[in-house]
Amino acid sequence: MLRRVFKYTQILIFGVIIYMSGCEQKFDLTQLPDPGQPITSLDTNYVEIYPPWGGFESPRAIIVGNDQLIYVADYGRDEIVMMDAGGTVLNRRTVMRPISIAQNSKLDLYVGGETISQNGDTIGALFRIFLVRFDTSNVIRVDTIVDSLTGRIRLIPIRRDTSYFLNHNIDIAPMHTVWKEPARPQRRFTGIGILPNNDYLVARVGPENSSFVDPDARVLYFNKGDTLITPLGDLVTRPSGGTAITDIRNLTGIMVFPSSRDFILTQSIEGVAYGAIWMVYQKTLDFEGWLPKYDPSKAEQRVVDFIRPYRFRQASGVAYDRRRRDVFIIDSGLDSLIKFNRNGQFKTESFGYAKTTSGLFPGLNRPNGVAFSNDCTLYIADTGNKVIRRFKLSNQTQCN
């Protein structure tokens, strides 16, 4: 009996040592399943669809739009590329150095790029492209009305609706500059997430983060009329970085969950401990705002894979499978795609550089964008290889 107790005690201690050492090591994807290996009845891996889509210089972001078209932000060629699901380029639009892109329910595109200020500086800017509709009105006359009670004269402008509709002609669609900050020329807008009512969140980044009031690294909240409402106070930027789950510094992207106000924010771990932050929206009598879904300060949540410290190196994009409720994080520092289930647990369908290297094409090289379509195709903007790569699950016979 004593031998059996001693044996079980050894096993328990050994397991604790493995767990503690795993928490301190950087995340390693070299042992994950190979998407190109032979498929058995037990395998569930991502298999690459060949050939990759070329013709890009530096694809930095990719989305599958609400119109089911694919949009790629090609930083190196200063353009947004519109494609269909077969990879045919339908149109292009010149935007200076685009790094982020999103589409609202009106099918307007929001793009984070750059522009030239009046003094000649290159500055970050947020653009809105009216892809399908463009709402305008002109004042055709001004009527004069006298208030019968006060005798005051009021001028009432009479407007005529001059809106016109466009047929996805992105090359000629009206484009407005929504936001720019000439006084802070080094700020950039690295991520855009659309909220259910077409309000939206924007991830802003920059080198100056010593200000307590207005550091460069913030998440900005805009309403659907493109008016800045507020920076989110639920996330903190410290001058020297931080190890709390809500500390932000080098933001790389943001994704809002469909029909939700919850979002995932990605960032480089330089100066912070967590490369991806999952925030959920709450509204009660005492509080309205965002809180972390998983909080390492709570003992029962420390085992959640999603919040393992330093799991990521430079998480740079997020996608979501709304059918299975899985989350995809692309990491340009690890050259990897990391997949989590709805409970934040790591899934072995994840893959990286070594597992995407084959005789047909080299492994992932500094990937920056990721998207997931209704036909269950996973798209990766492979920046270093200048292509868009596509993957599907090996055992997936239908998308349901």
Side-chain angles (χ1 to χ4, degrees):
M1 180 67 181
L2 290 175
R3 288 183 179 179
R4 184 176 301 173
V5 171
F6 180 70
K7 180 179 181 181
Y8 288 162
T9 302
Q10 283 183 314
I11 293 173
L12 178 60
I13 293 173
F14 182 68
V16 170
I17 292 172
I18 291 176
Y19 173 79
M20 293 299 290
S21 63
C23 288
E24 295 174 357
Q25 295 175 355
K26 302 292 185 180
F27 189 52
D28 184 9
L29 291 174
T30 58
Q31 302 302 317
L32 294 181
D34 184 346
Q37 69 186 16
I39 299 169
T40 71
S41 59
L42 298 179
D43 286 334
T44 305
N45 305 314
Y46 277 95
V47 177
E48 186 160 6
I49 304 170
Y50 289 100
W53 294 343
F56 303 96
E57 181 60 32
S58 180
R60 292 282 295 271
I62 182 171
I63 62 168
V64 178
N66 294 316
D67 51 13
Q68 299 309 304
L69 296 177
I70 297 161
Y71 297 91
V72 179
D74 192 341
Y75 179 89
R77 291 195 171 175
D78 295 329
E79 63 183 13
I80 302 298
V81 182
M82 173 197 286
M83 311 173 73
D84 64 20
T88 300
V89 174
L90 304 178
N91 219 324
R92 303 172 187 268
R93 176 61 181 257
T94 298
V95 177
M96 187 176 176
R97 296 173 186 168
I99 54 176
S100 59
I101 187 169
Q103 187 178 53
N104 67 13
S105 63
K106 290 185 175 183
L107 307 186
D108 300 333
L109 292 176
Y110 284 94
V111 178
E114 297 179 2
T115 189
I116 305 298
S117 66
Q118 291 183 349
N119 65 3
D121 287 342
T122 299
I123 63 173
L126 184 66
F127 304 100
R128 183 177 183 176
I129 302 174
F130 297 85
L131 190 59
V132 175
R133 60 177 297 165
F134 182 51
D135 298 322
T136 61
S137 63
N138 290 330
V139 177
I140 58 175
R141 70 174 189 274
V142 177
D143 287 350
T144 301
I145 297 179
V146 179
D147 191 307
S148 59
L149 295 177
T150 63
R152 293 179 178 176
I153 298 176
R154 292 195 304 161
L155 302 179
I156 306 297
I158 306 300
R159 298 180 178 274
R160 179 178 62 187
D161 185 2
T162 56
S163 300
Y164 61 91
F165 293 81
L166 302 169
N167 188 24
H168 276 79
N169 294 319
I170 190 174
D171 57 330
I172 61 172
M175 183 172 75
H176 288 176
T177 301
V178 171
W179 189 256
K180 58 183 178 180
E181 301 178 69
R184 299 294 181 90
Q186 292 183 291
R187 289 178 172 178
R188 297 294 182 269
F189 305 103
T190 55
I192 307 164
I194 308 297
L195 296 167
N197 62 346
N198 285 330
D199 291 355
Y200 54 98
L201 303 174
V202 176
R204 187 184 71 191
V205 69
E208 179 52 59
N209 289 294
S210 60
S211 170
F212 176 78
V213 177
D214 189 28
D216 287 350
R218 299 298 293 266
V219 175
L220 307 178
Y221 182 10
F222 290 82
N223 68 15
K224 61 184 177 181
D226 298 332
T227 300
L228 175 64
I229 302 301
T230 182
L232 295 191
D234 312 282
L235 299 157
V236 180
T237 305
R238 306 175 199 272
S240 58
T243 57
I245 187 65
T246 53
D247 280 314
I248 61 173
R249 192 166 183 83
N250 298 295
L251 305 180
T252 56
I254 189 171
M255 181 210 70
V256 175
F257 286 89
S259 304
S260 169
R261 297 176 71 84
D262 300 351
F263 66 86
I264 291 178
L265 187 70
T266 57
Q267 60 181 340
S268 164
I269 61 168
E270 181 183 350
V272 295
Y274 300 96
I277 307 171
W278 191 328
M279 301 291 286
V280 295
Y281 180 78
Q282 294 188 6
K283 184 176 182 180
T284 66
L285 292 176
D286 301 320
F287 175 80
E288 180 177 0
W290 283 268
L291 294 171
K293 180 179 177 69
Y294 304 115
D295 189 344
S297 67
K298 299 178 180 178
E300 68 276 10
Q301 294 187 2
R302 291 174 189 164
V303 296
V304 177
D305 292 327
F306 192 86
I307 56 170
R308 173 178 165 181
Y310 306 107
R311 169 176 286 280
F312 306 98
R313 183 174 300 166
Q314 185 161 346
S316 52
V318 192
Y320 180 62
D321 179 351
R322 66 176 69 197
R323 289 180 176 85
R324 295 176 176 82
R325 296 170 65 187
D326 290 331
V327 171
F328 305 91
I329 305 284
I330 198 74
D331 192 313
S332 62
L334 293 173
D335 295 326
S336 301
L337 184 284
I338 308 169
K339 184 176 180 180
F340 300 89
N341 66 17
R342 70 191 70 180
N343 298 315
Q345 298 301 335
F346 171 82
K347 300 190 75 169
T348 58
E349 297 152 14
S350 307
F351 56 90
Y353 170 82
K355 311 306 178 182
T356 53
T357 303
S358 68
L360 296 175
F361 209 76
L364 292 172
N365 182 7
R366 295 181 289 108
N368 274 281
V370 61
F372 193 80
S373 68
N374 286 341
D375 68 352
C376 299
T377 300
L378 179 67
Y379 297 89
I380 294 179
D382 190 352
T383 308
N385 288 314
K386 303 182 180 183
V387 296
I388 301 299
R389 302 177 75 162
R390 297 166 294 152
F391 300 85
K392 280 200 173 184
L393 281 175
S394 58
N395 65 350
Q396 189 171 313
T397 57
Q398 59 181 354
C399 187
N400 53 29

